[in-house]
Amino acid sequence: MRATVRTGAVGAVLVAGGLLAGLLLTGGADDAEAGRAAPDGLPHTGIEVSPSRCGRGWQHPHPGLQVFDLHNTSDTAAEVYLKNPADGSVYGEVEGIGPGTTRRLRIRLGRGAYAFMCLPDDTHAVTGPTARITGGGPAGPAAAPVTEHDLIPAALAYQKWVGRGLDGLVGRTGRLRDALADGDRAAVEDAWLSAHLAYERLGAAYGAFGDADGKINGTTAGLPGGVRDPAFTGFHRIEYGLWHGRSTTSLRGPATALADAVKALRDDWTEARMEPADLGLRAHEILENTLQFELTGRTDYGSGSNLATARANLDGTRAVLARLRHLLVTRYPELPVLERKLDRAQDLLDGFRRDGRWTPLDRLDRRQRERTDAVLGDLVERLASVATLCDARRTV
């Protein structure tokens, strides 16, 4: 459970989940000029973005793949949706169009009615004139925008689920501390794994855990002293000691500190507030982080439990999706496929657990590694659709 640093150009077009199979949306640079012969060979149409003239310039609507050059003539940044004016569902969008700049919306259109909605910063949305296309095939799929209001019940339900998980985690870290006091190494290792996986299942909440996440599940990344750094604490500190021959007595202090940190987190959780707009993104990031950290072995401090962690992360992903499902069933036609792919990944990972023990990552053969990477990678791509569709959007 750890944050991913994400990069990207401001104002890039958000593909509505990749689910819009008939559409291809890309963000463009500021050199697009309506009316010029385009090097891409596609027809271009200049569209004005402003509170008073939103959507002006679309004089000859036609079907097929085309480019809209969205030029912001106002003095404030804006985002733009191309929507169905009847029900507000969105075909494509571009964010962060700065004053005086132009960005491109590349999209395939079919038969139907369309209108541009301009959403300037700090003012009301404006919908431009309706354009109708009578020829060509049917209009491509569109997704009803999800608002922050829509996401609040899902976030509250997930937050309650996390609270119950933290209650259980308090008990598990307490048993780990007690096992270390008893000195039974095999029991300690089992208690450590049980507690660590319980924490990893809470993956979408890390943003709300604040500094507690570092104390509980931090690694040596950025610590000058590495495994000997005083700031190296929590699960991985204990893991390193257990699987590098440290005495159980020497690990009692770190285990007590871990149990105390978990209890403090649990006690503070009722006052925490998750950002509803982040929930869809977290569903994607859990498995994105799994690929980056677990399936590369970067977080293995000796236990060889990365595949077990990946399996716990899969449970964490399902927990988020369960709270978002009512929003996705009408917006994401590929949801049944995603759910089947989750089942496939679960079966694959469960196959690495034999006689109660997980296969260490470095004992997988090449075929197993490639298949695991491919299955989880495919899920990450599909969950990017969930992140996009559940990105909170303005409607007014």
Side-chain angles (χ1 to χ4, degrees), residues 15-265:
V15 181
L19 68 92
L20 305 183
L23 309 187
L24 179 60
L25 313 181
T26 58
D30 295 339
D31 58 357
E33 294 184 17
R36 281 194 171 186
D40 57 19
L42 297 174
H44 282 234
T45 301
I47 298 295
E48 186 171 343
V49 178
S50 71
S52 60
R53 294 180 56 84
C54 177
R56 303 293 177 178
W58 198 1
Q59 301 297 326
H60 305 289
H62 58 272
L65 186 62
Q66 53 197 286
V67 176
F68 292 104
D69 297 318
L70 306 173
H71 183 65
N72 187 353
T73 60
S74 72
D75 58 2
T76 186
E79 56 186 298
V80 175
Y81 301 163
L82 180 60
K83 68 174 188 176
N84 181 330
D87 61 14
S89 57
V90 177
Y91 292 96
E93 65 177 300
V94 182
E95 290 184 331
I97 309 176
T101 63
T102 302
R103 297 194 67 81
R104 292 192 294 265
L105 171 60
R106 187 170 181 255
I107 187 166
R108 187 183 301 277
L109 300 180
R111 186 172 56 251
Y114 304 88
F116 283 100
M117 174 184 277
C118 303
L119 299 100
D121 289 354
D122 302 321
T123 190
H124 294 296
V126 177
T127 299
T130 296
R132 300 185 185 278
I133 297 176
T134 56
V146 172
T147 68
E148 188 156 357
H149 180 76
D150 295 327
L151 291 166
I152 288 173
L156 290 175
Y158 182 75
Q159 195 162 338
K160 289 179 181 178
W161 179 84
V162 171
R164 294 192 295 272
L166 288 172
D167 286 338
L169 184 61
V170 168
R172 291 174 190 269
T173 53
R175 285 191 287 275
L176 171 60
R177 179 195 57 215
D178 295 344
L180 278 164
D182 292 341
D184 183 337
R185 201 170 197 89
V188 171
E189 291 176 359
D190 289 344
W192 177 88
L193 183 60
S194 175
H196 186 235
L197 298 184
Y199 185 76
E200 288 286 346
R201 292 188 184 97
L202 309 179
Y206 67 79
F209 285 170
D211 293 341
D213 185 50
K215 295 177 182 178
I216 293 169
N217 205 39
T219 67
T220 55
L223 299 182
V227 295
R228 294 177 177 81
D229 197 294
F232 182 39
T233 61
F235 281 113
H236 292 301
R237 168 69 180 86
I238 298 169
E239 177 189 9
Y240 180 82
L242 281 174
W243 278 273
H244 287 83
R246 303 297 189 268
S247 68
T248 56
T249 301
S250 70
L251 297 174
R252 292 177 187 174
T256 297
L258 171 63
D260 290 345
V262 167
K263 185 176 183 300
L265 176 61

Side-chain angles (χ1 to χ4, degrees), residues 291 295 341 344 348 367-381:
L291 279 176
L295 296 190
K341 297 285 187 177
R344 178 189 177 196
L348 173 66
R367 182 189 63 82
Q368 290 172 317
R369 286 294 296 267
E370 289 177 348
R371 186 182 179 208
T372 303
D373 289 345
V375 169
L376 271 294
D378 177 67
L379 275 178
V380 169
E381 291 184 12

